[in-house]
Amino acid sequence: MALDSDMTYDAIYRTGLSRSHYNILLFDYAYFQFSRDNDVTWRLAFFPNPWVSGSPNAVERVRQWEAQEEDGLIDHEEASNLIAEMPYIGAVPCIRFESAPAQYREMAHPSAHFHIGRHDQNRWPSTILLGPKAFAMIIAKMYYPDFWARKSRFHNAEVEACCDQTLLTAMGEARFVHDFSVVEQQSFHFGKNLR
């Protein structure tokens, strides 16, 4: 369904949510999907809630409705209807990271790449192979900055376990992409030059 260019993002998002096609569900009903074919081929995806993600006001409204539902002031159907009637914001794009060395073609199809948004040809090359931990932490840092700052000594939080330090460790453990030519290194890409 996600590969169908005629499908709307909200339909893709709702289908994944309703069928529980996710590995991690966040407080704002955004979710992560992780899949792995083998040791070198995997897909990491973040599907933001198009009505809530990126809007602190929308998140707060949903929390209020959930609290009212828990207190018995409204039932589940009423809460669901209120959420369904929220305006479509689409503030945060869906993001995928793929490692697909079998599909590598120099300058045409990077072995490792990001997809930002839904256009299937927008492959943003990467020289770094991200794993689920690093990917999830990057998403958290970029799209949940208030929560991130509370756990980061770089944002003046007094914490024992700093999330920025944990991310740096995860990035230090990331491997480099083998299929990345000298020519590709001269072009735009995420990561470091290998040579």
Side-chain angles (χ1 to χ4, degrees):
M1 182 175 194
L3 300 176
D4 183 347
S5 61
D6 293 329
M7 193 61 58
T8 62
Y9 177 70
D10 61 317
I12 294 167
Y13 167 82
R14 285 181 202 250
T15 300
L17 187 64
S18 68
R19 294 181 183 174
S20 299
H21 286 183
Y22 51 81
N23 300 89
I24 301 171
L25 180 65
L26 303 179
F27 69 92
D28 64 353
Y29 299 97
Y31 55 86
F32 287 96
Q33 287 181 343
F34 304 139
S35 62
R36 179 178 168 209
D37 292 343
N38 54 50
D39 287 343
V40 296
T41 305
W42 63 84
R43 178 183 168 274
L44 312 171
F46 172 67
F47 289 90
N49 180 328
W51 297 274
V52 178
S53 297
S55 172
N57 293 335
V59 170
E60 184 55 35
R61 282 196 307 271
V62 170
R63 285 187 180 157
Q64 289 171 356
W65 295 329
E66 288 174 337
Q68 290 174 352
E69 181 182 355
E70 287 177 21
D71 293 341
L73 300 173
I74 60 176
D75 62 24
H76 179 72
E77 186 175 334
E78 289 172 306
S80 296
N81 287 339
L82 288 168
I83 292 170
E85 292 172 7
M86 294 180 75
Y88 185 94
I89 298 169
V92 177
C94 55
I95 308 241
R96 288 191 333 261
F97 176 82
E98 296 181 5
S99 173
Q103 297 175 14
Y104 173 71
R105 287 189 342 265
E106 185 181 37
M107 296 296 286
H109 192 290
S111 179
H113 55 276
F114 287 89
H115 289 275
I116 302 170
R118 291 206 39 241
H119 181 22
D120 65 346
Q121 296 301 311
N122 80 27
R123 294 182 192 93
W124 296 70
S126 175
T127 60
I128 299 173
L129 291 171
L130 294 180
K133 182 177 183 177
F135 178 78
M137 291 188 78
I138 291 167
I139 295 296
K141 183 174 182 165
M142 296 296 117
Y143 296 115
Y144 299 94
D146 294 339
F147 292 99
W148 187 268
R150 289 184 221 151
K151 298 290 184 181
S152 173
R153 66 181 175 84
F154 294 99
H155 293 271
N156 299 320
E158 294 183 24
V159 293
E160 262 184 60
C162 172
C163 56
D164 276 299
Q165 192 59 53
T166 304
L167 175 57
L168 290 172
T169 300
M171 292 304 298
E173 295 167 356
R175 295 177 292 164
F176 285 105
V177 175
H178 294 292
D179 300 317
F180 209 85
S181 73
V182 173
V183 172
E184 288 170 311
Q185 289 182 44
Q186 295 171 24
S187 185
F188 175 82
H189 62 276
F190 290 123
K192 299 179 184 179
N193 286 336
L194 303 175
R195 294 175 180 91

